[in-house]
Amino acid sequence: MALLPILEFPDPRLRKVAAPVTDFGDGLRTLVDNMLDTMYKAEGIGLAATQVNVHKRLLVIDISEEKDSPHIFINPEFEVIEEELQDYQEGCLSVPGFFEEVSRPRAIRVKARDQRGEEFEHEARGLLAVCIQHEIDHLDGKLFVDYLSPLKRQRIRSKLEKEHRKSA
Ligand code: GNR
Ligand code: NI
């Protein structure tokens, strides 16, 4: 088991756009295992490769209470199936300590590949739909703070920069 360091806002590496996964070999399995370990240890419900400084289109999610239902999405794409927005208090392992309401479409259909490279489709609503959209945003270099007012975003940036200076 290996834990990977998680990048924190405003690290510019969180702004990179990830490239599609093309190699479904053993290296991918190791990366997925390490991302799951890192997500569970950090008590997150999702983790995108971008957050651990790997700029490939891959994310892991587990929204179960028991933490025994990992979902792995490789090269994910989604379409909105219900435009109606739902508000959710989002947090992010890359923006530790901050939670703010974000509105996103309430139901989506995701197409992705599994670790073996097999394509699958899945409909998601509720928290799973929120989480998948949040993670795919990471792969595109976006963060939930981008949906907030510039003032709120700047306050969060300043507080985190101050903490990073303290621990540096
Ligand atoms: O652990 C997480 N919780 C969470 C709560 C509400 C909306 C999205 C999330 S995802 C987050 C983990 C994370 O940062 N994934 O990128
Ligand atoms: Ni996040």
Side-chain angles (χ1 to χ4, degrees):
M1 131 153 184
L3 299 178
L4 307 169
I6 298 175
L7 301 177
E8 293 186 2
F9 177 70
D11 192 310
R13 291 171 290 182
L14 287 167
R15 298 309 188 177
K16 290 192 181 191
V17 177
V21 171
T22 53
D23 185 350
F24 289 80
D26 286 347
L28 182 65
R29 178 164 345 148
T30 304
L31 175 59
V32 167
D33 288 348
N34 292 342
M35 284 176 60
L36 285 168
D37 290 342
T38 302
M39 175 184 74
Y40 288 128
K41 178 76 195 311
E43 296 188 19
I45 57 172
L47 187 71
T50 304
Q51 294 177 276
V52 294
N53 201 28
V54 174
H55 302 283
K56 294 184 187 157
R57 303 192 75 83
L58 154 67
L59 57 93
V60 297
I61 290 180
D62 190 342
I63 59 166
S64 70
E65 283 293 332
E66 299 77 18
K67 299 292 157 204
D68 59 359
S69 303
H71 293 277
I72 294 144
F73 296 87
I74 299 171
N75 299 341
E77 291 174 16
F78 75 93
E79 59 183 295
V80 173
I81 54 178
E82 282 180 38
E83 302 275 354
E84 196 180 327
L85 302 176
Q86 66 177 341
D87 296 338
Y88 202 93
Q89 283 274 124
E90 296 198 16
C92 181
L93 294 173
S94 296
V95 191
F98 296 90
F99 296 86
E100 296 287 347
E101 201 128 291
V102 175
S103 301
R104 301 182 189 269
R106 62 190 282 193
I108 59 174
R109 182 179 298 110
V110 193
K111 199 166 81 174
R113 292 182 188 278
D114 64 21
Q115 285 183 81
R116 302 188 348 258
E118 302 288 340
E119 198 164 54
F120 66 92
E121 275 192 32
H122 192 75
E123 280 186 21
R125 55 183 54 254
L127 178 56
L128 185 58
V130 170
C131 195
I132 291 170
Q133 292 175 80
H134 174 115
E135 303 310 341
I136 292 177
D137 270 355
H138 278 302
L139 303 182
D140 292 324
K142 289 186 75 176
L143 296 166
F144 85 88
V145 297
D146 300 343
Y147 298 97
L148 309 178
S149 70
L151 179 62
K152 270 191 180 170
R153 186 163 53 251
Q154 185 54 45
R155 282 195 183 133
I156 293 172
R157 172 194 280 267
S158 301
K159 286 181 189 164
L160 285 174
E161 281 175 338
K162 195 168 166 190
E163 288 189 16
H164 294 158
R165 279 198 298 274
K166 268 193 281 178
S167 58

